[in-house]
Amino acid sequence: MWRNLKWKVLLTATALGCGVGASKIANSDDPATALKLCTAVPVRLFRLSVTAAAIAFDYEYSLMGLAEDSDERERVKHEVHIRGARRLEDLCFKNGGIYIKLGQHVGQLDYLVPIEYAKTMRESMLNRCPTSTFDQVCKVVKKELGGAPEEIFDEFDPVPIASASLAQVHVARTHEGQKVAVKVQHTHMTDTAAADLATVELIVNTVHRFFPSFDYRWLVDEVKETSPKELDFLNEAKNSVKCMDNFRRLSPHIAAYIYAPTVYWSLSTSKLLTMEFIEAPQVNDLKSIKKLGIRPHDISKLVSQTFAEMMFKHGFVHCDPHVANLLVRTLPSDRSSIFGSRKPQLVLLDHGLYKELDNYTRTNYAALWKALVLADAKAIKENCKKFGAGDDLYTFFTSILTMKPWERVIDPAVDHLAISDQSELQIYGPEYFSQVTELLRRLPRVILLMMKTNDCLRSVDNALLQRSSLESFLIIGRVSSEAVIQEKLLKAKSLFSLISVWLEEISLEVRFTILRLALWVLQFKKSLSL
């Protein structure tokens, strides 16, 4: 009787599913796309379910009977992590689209997911993104701009120069002779994005129900919020304009050193973006950068200054600063110095993912980084609690932000935040997994994105200098302190309070001068020991 009932339920569900699908196709403005959606989504959901089940079963079966703290369990767990990471990688590439985006997020979570997952995703998700065929590109261009690429542009290279999770870029030339970069959205993105996010959310919620310590719901929430904005290329164009306007208004002292490509508005839509083509090496292309006469050290300082100004003064932050989105060229108005070096200009690409920090978040985040750089334990704790870390988890929060154990964070030494070993903090992942997961659940999502931005910037620093930059931390400390002082000056309501703020400003200036001298002495000693 159960078998008969089971088959009846299955057949009824199938019939209902087919009926709903047929109805959706018949009533759709684009039946071909609706048919594709109704046939593709179940396959993608099936792959996701099978992968999740396979990973869960592998952990359950492989670790069964092994003592918690045994070396054998750690060895087997490492092997299971690798197999799970490869299964997840395979799923992301087969399903594509939003799955690639999720894989990229996982690749930047060294402090939360096992390092095997982070490393696998990081090495593959940025360099092996799928590409659309030229026929698909032509369809997007015709639908968005009203004509074939050869009609809209004087020249259009059919081979993309770059491909990412959401779109790919083609080099073209306008009828007026300007060389441009045309960013064309992958056609499958909008077709399946909503359904993909719904299925991923379903699986993550289900896994969390059975394994409460496995809580990545915040990651799905973040992708759900940011994906629609990233899929709207006109929003990206507006972000680039606002970014440059912020530097001119709020950070005029470095505005000339920052650049975003000019947008061709008449050749841009929500799914196609035409921009000025910039010929410049990526920020990690040290060989090309040195040929330009630019010192990697100067670029590191400029990157730190740029993003510190965004976070602590503008409150409008580019949240995807990986190496492919940062180009470097010589400052157009600059001439080489007597030593032959040139000043750099940082070109910011891909403005799809920005985060706005309200005034409370911006100023308290600045106060937290000021305290971190100055190793002020009391202020660190006070500002961590404002973001929800509490008395129990503020040390984890500071450790994730700085990639240093708490004892080093509050060490008054000038190099206390320098990372000498990238794996120094990875003990926090497996040992305190539940606490860190709880911390990330409590923190505002905007702070989670700031943490991701910090990780990207740390990677850029390592690519430029092959080490953590001490001067970058001083720059962060100085800019965050300036933001805190500016806020206090705005709130000062009496002459006494103004004088108090001015004295604090002078005191901070003295402290940073001493820190810079101490840093110079430390670097000089290191150079003598080489």
Side-chain angles (χ1 to χ4, degrees), residues 142-209:
K142 187 169 184 178
K143 183 178 180 181
E144 297 300 310
L145 299 180
E150 61 271 17
E151 297 171 348
I152 304 298
F153 299 94
D154 191 48
E155 299 173 14
F156 192 96
D157 190 341
V159 180
I161 59 168
S163 182
S165 57
L166 306 183
Q168 62 192 47
V169 179
H170 293 259
V171 178
R173 193 173 295 276
T174 66
H175 290 298
E176 291 72 34
Q178 291 105 343
K179 191 175 183 180
V180 293
V182 184
K183 184 176 180 179
V184 183
Q185 195 170 117
H186 294 311
T187 53
H188 63 270
M189 282 307 306
T190 48
D191 292 346
T192 61
D196 284 342
L197 282 171
T199 55
V200 169
E201 184 175 27
L202 174 66
I203 295 294
V204 169
N205 285 337
T206 302
V207 172
H208 173 65
R209 190 170 300 157

Side-chain angles (χ1 to χ4, degrees), residues 172-405:
R173 193 173 295 276
T174 66
H175 290 298
E176 291 72 34
Q178 291 105 343
K179 191 175 183 180
V180 293
V182 184
K183 184 176 180 179
V184 183
Q185 195 170 117
H186 294 311
T187 53
H188 63 270
M189 282 307 306
T190 48
D191 292 346
T192 61
D196 284 342
L197 282 171
T199 55
V200 169
E201 184 175 27
L202 174 66
I203 295 294
V204 169
N205 285 337
T206 302
V207 172
H208 173 65
R209 190 170 300 157
F210 288 103
F211 305 99
S213 63
F214 183 95
D215 190 0
Y216 289 93
R217 292 173 297 174
W218 62 269
L219 178 58
V220 177
D221 289 342
E222 187 57 47
V223 176
K224 277 176 64 179
E225 181 183 320
T226 58
S227 290
K229 296 175 183 177
E230 290 187 87
L231 288 168
D232 182 357
F233 289 172
L234 289 179
N235 179 66
E236 177 179 340
K238 291 172 185 174
N239 284 345
S240 70
V241 172
K242 183 175 179 178
C243 171
M244 293 308 300
D245 183 55
N246 282 343
F247 276 103
R248 283 188 289 268
R249 290 187 306 106
L250 305 173
S251 306
H253 54 293
I254 65 164
Y257 297 89
I258 317 299
Y259 191 80
T262 302
V263 175
Y264 288 75
W265 294 96
S266 62
L267 295 173
S268 298
T269 70
S270 61
K271 296 182 182 179
L272 185 148
L273 182 60
T274 304
M275 304 161 286
E276 170 190 7
F277 184 84
I278 304 291
E279 303 232 24
Q282 289 184 3
V283 72
N284 64 336
D285 186 355
L286 295 181
K287 187 175 180 181
S288 298
I289 286 170
K290 287 176 180 176
K291 282 183 179 178
L292 294 173
I294 300 173
R295 297 185 305 169
H297 178 71
D298 291 339
I299 300 171
S300 173
K301 287 167 56 179
L302 179 57
V303 170
S304 298
Q305 181 86 24
T306 299
F307 283 87
E309 298 278 338
M310 283 187 187
M311 285 188 280
F312 306 131
K313 292 184 179 178
H314 306 176
F316 187 67
V317 188
H318 187 307
C319 288
D320 202 12
H322 59 74
V323 293
N325 290 338
L326 304 177
L327 306 183
V328 179
R329 64 182 183 182
T330 56
L331 188 66
S333 60
D334 181 50
R335 295 181 181 180
S336 60
S337 69
I338 57 173
F339 301 106
S341 61
R342 303 288 299 273
K343 292 180 181 178
Q345 185 180 62
L346 185 66
V347 181
L348 301 175
L349 304 180
D350 194 353
H351 297 263
L353 182 57
Y354 270 74
K355 208 68 175 179
E356 290 201 58
L357 281 64
D358 59 52
N359 196 58
Y360 176 87
T361 302
R362 178 182 63 80
T363 52
N364 285 308
Y365 193 58
L368 174 57
W369 270 104
K370 166 180 169 282
L372 288 169
V373 173
L374 296 176
D376 185 341
K378 183 180 177 182
I380 291 171
K381 182 177 180 179
E382 177 185 322
N383 286 287
C384 284
K385 289 171 71 174
K386 290 178 182 178
F387 292 116
D391 289 324
D392 54 336
L393 292 174
Y394 73 93
T395 57
F396 288 101
F397 185 24
T398 56
S399 293
I400 289 173
L401 279 174
T402 61
M403 296 298 287
K404 303 293 291 184

Side-chain angles (χ1 to χ4, degrees), residues 5 9 25 41-42 46 59 193 202 333 355 377 393 461 467 471:
L5 180 61
V9 171
I25 294 168
V41 169
F46 177 75
Y59 278 101
L202 174 66
S333 60
K355 208 68 175 179
L393 292 174
D461 239 11
R467 57 180 169 81
E471 192 149 7

Side-chain angles (χ1 to χ4, degrees), residues 449-469:
L449 214 51
M450 291 303 100
M451 289 160 64
K452 175 198 167 188
T453 303
N454 288 338
D455 291 343
C456 288
L457 295 173
R458 194 176 290 117
S459 297
V460 169
D461 239 11
N462 288 328
L464 283 165
L465 305 175
Q466 283 77 54
R467 57 180 169 81
S468 177
S469 171

